[in-house]
Amino acid sequence: MSQATGKPIFRTTLANPLGYGLGVAQGIFPGPTGNFWYYEGQAFGARVLQMYFPRSGTIIALAVNSSTDNDHLSDLAGSVYQTLQEAGAASTG
């Protein structure tokens, strides 16, 4: 399903970059990162974000003991992925 329209989509595109289904969502970044899959959830003061980047085979899992209306886990995951790329540990080529 498209997060923008709520209508079914076969896959994400740069024009429609976020999709979801059964609690797992797919997104796409321009450039070498490409498609990624993610799940984010929270309950009772705990939050988790799991991301999978098929092009590099990288998986990032973040879990924190906090609850907030101002969630920055995706920013943290992006920083972790960028650091791994710069270190050569998340090569997309």
Side-chain angles (χ1 to χ4, degrees):
M1 303 293 252
S2 167
Q3 284 191 14
T5 67
K7 295 182 180 179
I9 56 174
F10 181 69
R11 67 171 47 107
T12 56
T13 64
L14 289 176
N16 196 355
L18 296 174
Y20 67 94
L22 298 176
V24 176
Q26 183 188 42
I28 188 169
F29 287 126
T33 302
N35 287 335
F36 62 96
W37 293 91
Y38 67 98
Y39 168 80
E40 184 171 6
Q42 68 178 16
F44 308 114
R47 294 180 294 140
V48 65
L49 172 64
Q50 299 171 333
M51 298 184 82
Y52 169 60
F53 300 88
R55 285 191 182 170
S56 66
T58 302
I59 297 170
I60 296 172
L62 304 171
V64 295
N65 290 329
S66 69
S67 181
T68 181
D69 291 333
N70 201 4
D71 184 11
H72 295 286
L73 282 181
S74 60
D75 295 335
L76 177 58
S79 294
V80 169
Y81 189 75
Q82 182 177 0
T83 300
L84 291 171
Q85 282 185 314
E86 290 169 0
S91 175
T92 58

